[in-house]
Amino acid sequence: MRRLAPLCLALAAALLGCSSGSGPGTGGAPAGSPETPVTSGSTAAKPQVTFLDRLPIARYSYTADETAAIESAQQVLTKRCLRTFGIAYEPPQREAETSTSSDRRYGLSSASEAARLGYHPDMGPLPAGPDLPEDALRVFYGNRGAEPGSAERVVYKGREVPKNGCFGQSVAKLAEEYDSPAAAETARRISTQSYKDSLAEPPVKEAFRNWSACMRNSGFRYDSPLEPANNKEFQREDISKREKETARADVRCKEKTDLLDIWFKAESALQKAEIDKNSKSLQTLLTAHRNKTEAARRIVAEG
């Protein structure tokens, strides 16, 4: 399956086609948004329900193997940079991803998640940061935590550190040479706009009405499957019984009305039409991905 880079707000920043710039401590798009990245799973534990990696535009995102190669190259370049400051660094081994979360492009879709977590996302453990002393971390990250537009300089043993640290410099090095921002923006636009446009498609609107009627029969009043997750009552830290009951009914009604499949097919058709119109730009994106991945693999091979 395909994995979007966490620093890119994906399938909108993923979405597809953005550059891989993930690293220790980085995050992703908010759960439930049309930009929500798919969580990659290992062969032993795959997500229960996925849509982002099946949509036509997903072809223009990095594959899991490509992302792994690029992230490994970023770590090699970071290690080289840190060495010039006299800092020894061994990148952590890349662990297999084992999340079983479903993506939420179309809202909650997993019965097991509904029963366990209601509308709360299954965040899983946070990735560990680099194992470095505090002063060395400033070299790793630079002034990443400074205010936007800040001219703050980071100096380590009399030497100025790259603005975004060795890691940020390493991400930028590959991005500047190989990324295709205009083509990536085309992919992001298609993904984001197709989601918005799908809401107005007659089959989707009818499916929403059927879902709403099903929810009423279960004692819950919502006009749209987008509404429950935005219920302030369900955004508290604790997960209430009411939240779980609503979530379970939500998923049951989606299954009963075939809403997810109808919505997916409608959006897929919209994307295919836009992909045909933008085939030249998207081919440029695929070429950029291939070239960047090949460069990343050379860097890793060189160590």
Side-chain angles (χ1 to χ4, degrees):
M1 80 189 265
R2 297 184 181 266
R3 179 178 183 272
L4 296 184
L7 280 189
C8 303
L9 283 189
L11 261 162
L15 288 178
L16 300 154
C18 65
S19 63
S20 178
S22 58
T26 61
S33 72
E35 294 83 18
T36 302
V38 178
T39 304
S40 295
S42 70
T43 54
K46 291 184 180 296
Q48 299 165 349
V49 184
T50 63
F51 298 101
L52 296 185
D53 61 332
R54 293 166 49 206
L55 285 164
I57 196 65
R59 179 180 175 227
Y60 303 95
S61 67
Y62 288 102
T63 66
D65 285 345
E66 289 170 339
T67 297
I70 293 167
E71 290 178 353
S72 295
Q74 289 165 354
Q75 291 288 343
V76 170
L77 294 175
T78 300
K79 180 178 179 178
R80 292 178 187 172
C81 173
L82 290 169
R83 189 184 301 138
T84 68
F85 287 88
I87 298 172
Y89 170 64
E90 285 300 325
Q93 285 198 335
R94 208 170 182 279
E95 296 182 4
E97 297 175 26
T98 57
S99 172
T100 57
S101 295
S102 59
D103 75 60
R104 297 192 182 186
R105 187 172 181 86
Y106 305 136
L108 189 63
S109 56
S110 165
S112 63
E113 285 182 35
R116 289 189 302 115
L117 300 166
Y119 290 95
H120 283 61
D122 188 358
M123 301 301 291
L126 293 174
D131 184 16
L132 292 170
E134 186 174 349
D135 59 345
L137 284 175
R138 292 276 282 168
V139 183
F140 191 99
Y141 289 120
N143 66 353
R144 191 174 74 169
E147 291 294 324
S150 170
E152 177 188 355
R153 295 167 63 245
V154 177
V155 177
Y156 180 82
K157 295 184 178 180
R159 285 188 56 201
E160 185 170 352
V161 172
K163 181 179 179 182
N164 294 312
C166 284
F167 178 73
Q169 176 179 267
S170 300
V171 172
K173 180 178 176 63
L174 285 171
E176 289 169 3
E177 188 167 354
Y178 296 103
D179 285 357
S180 179
E185 179 56 33
T186 297
R188 283 191 287 268
R189 175 184 56 78
I190 290 173
S191 177
T192 303
Q193 193 61 46
S194 67
Y195 178 89
K196 294 177 181 177
D197 291 347
S198 70
L199 298 173
E201 289 292 292
V204 175
K205 292 171 73 174
E206 181 181 2
F208 276 24
R209 289 192 292 269
N210 293 337
W211 174 90
S212 180
C214 175
M215 289 292 283
R216 283 197 302 274
N217 290 337
S218 298
F220 305 99
R221 291 191 170 274
Y222 292 101
D223 293 330
S224 159
L226 304 179
E227 292 179 6
N230 293 321
N231 187 333
K232 291 183 179 179
E233 179 186 345
F234 301 159
Q235 294 174 3
R236 299 169 183 166
E237 185 175 348
D238 61 306
I239 303 173
S240 67
K241 179 181 178 183
R242 177 73 173 177
E243 178 181 350
K244 291 182 178 181
E245 289 174 346
T246 305
R248 288 197 295 266
D250 179 356
V251 175
R252 282 198 305 271
C253 287
K254 282 173 178 164
E255 293 173 347
K256 184 176 181 179
T257 60
D258 206 20
L259 185 150
L260 296 173
D261 190 53
I262 291 169
W263 197 347
F264 172 77
K265 287 178 179 177
E267 187 178 10
S268 294
L270 292 168
Q271 285 192 358
K272 287 176 182 177
E274 287 302 308
I275 288 170
D276 288 344
K277 294 176 186 176
N278 294 275
S279 58
K280 185 176 181 180
S281 177
L282 293 174
Q283 184 57 50
T284 298
L285 187 60
L286 285 179
T287 301
H289 284 184
R290 181 176 64 250
N291 292 340
K292 185 173 182 178
T293 303
E294 290 173 355
R297 287 174 176 151
R298 288 194 298 271
I299 291 169
V300 173
E302 294 166 359

